[in-house]
């Protein structure tokens, strides 16, 4: 039986998706998003982050999303002992990519019955 090896932690208005506990950021970028389903957004961003940095040996992705009065603040990155100097800018470019953002937001938009705290 195959297990899900990802840890999903909800703490108040915060949501964290990580491979290891405790989640650790050695490199990251932060971007604002409108209110959407945090779990769905985290899953989509994690998938594309992994694709972007899959050649980075020992990289363990982490997505942390917190709720603000204006929307969501997403911190994407992860744990990696050694990473090239352009890693942060690669993550930032990924989070700012208009096509990827549109896909992430379309997939994770809130349904009428959902609460902002999802």
């Amino acid at each position: 039986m195959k297990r899900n090896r990802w840890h999903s932690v909800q703490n108040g208005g915060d949501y964290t998706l990580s491979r290891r506990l405790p989640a650790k950021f050695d490199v990251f970028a932060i971007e604002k998003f409108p209110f959407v389903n945090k779990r769905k957004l985290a899953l989509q961003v994690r998938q594309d982050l992994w694709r972007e940095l899959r050649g980075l040996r020992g990289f363990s992705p982490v997505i942390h999303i917190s709720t603000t009065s204006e929307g969501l603040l997403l911190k994407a990155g992860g744990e990696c002992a050694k990473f090239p100097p352009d890693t942060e800018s690669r993550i930032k470019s990924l989070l700012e990519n208009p096509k990827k953002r549109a896909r992430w937001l379309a997939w994770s938009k809130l349904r009428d019955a959902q609460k902002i705290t999802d």
Side-chain angles (χ1 to χ4, degrees):
M1 183 170 136
K2 194 172 186 179
R3 296 186 308 147
N4 181 359
R5 294 187 181 131
W6 290 92
H7 300 281
S8 181
V9 178
Q10 184 129 12
N11 186 7
D14 291 356
Y15 179 84
T16 305
L17 180 67
S18 65
R19 187 66 124 172
R20 300 179 186 136
L21 287 178
K24 179 182 170 189
F25 285 99
D26 293 319
V27 61
F28 65 88
I30 297 174
E31 189 65 30
K32 294 178 182 178
F33 285 86
F35 291 112
V36 293
N37 182 294
K38 292 177 199 167
R39 184 185 66 78
K40 287 184 174 184
L41 178 61
L43 290 169
Q44 289 292 294
V45 173
R46 190 235 13 116
Q47 182 177 18
D48 284 340
L49 178 64
W50 180 252
R51 287 177 180 152
E52 175 67 27
L53 300 176
R54 68 177 163 243
L56 192 55
R57 186 175 173 99
F59 179 67
S60 180
V62 177
I63 307 296
H64 177 81
I65 303 174
S66 56
T67 304
T68 70
S69 60
E70 299 171 359
L72 303 177
L73 200 58
L74 185 141
K75 182 177 182 181
E79 185 177 351
C80 189
K82 293 183 180 181
F83 52 89
D86 70 338
T87 305
E88 183 179 331
S89 64
R90 288 174 64 190
I91 297 169
K92 185 75 171 164
S93 293
L94 173 74
L95 296 179
E96 293 174 345
N97 182 301
K99 288 183 180 178
K100 291 188 186 314
R101 285 180 67 95
R103 181 172 47 82
W104 299 337
L105 293 174
W107 195 76
S108 57
K109 67 182 175 182
L110 293 173
R111 307 291 181 236
D112 291 338
Q114 286 182 314
K115 296 179 182 177
I116 290 174
T117 57
D118 278 356

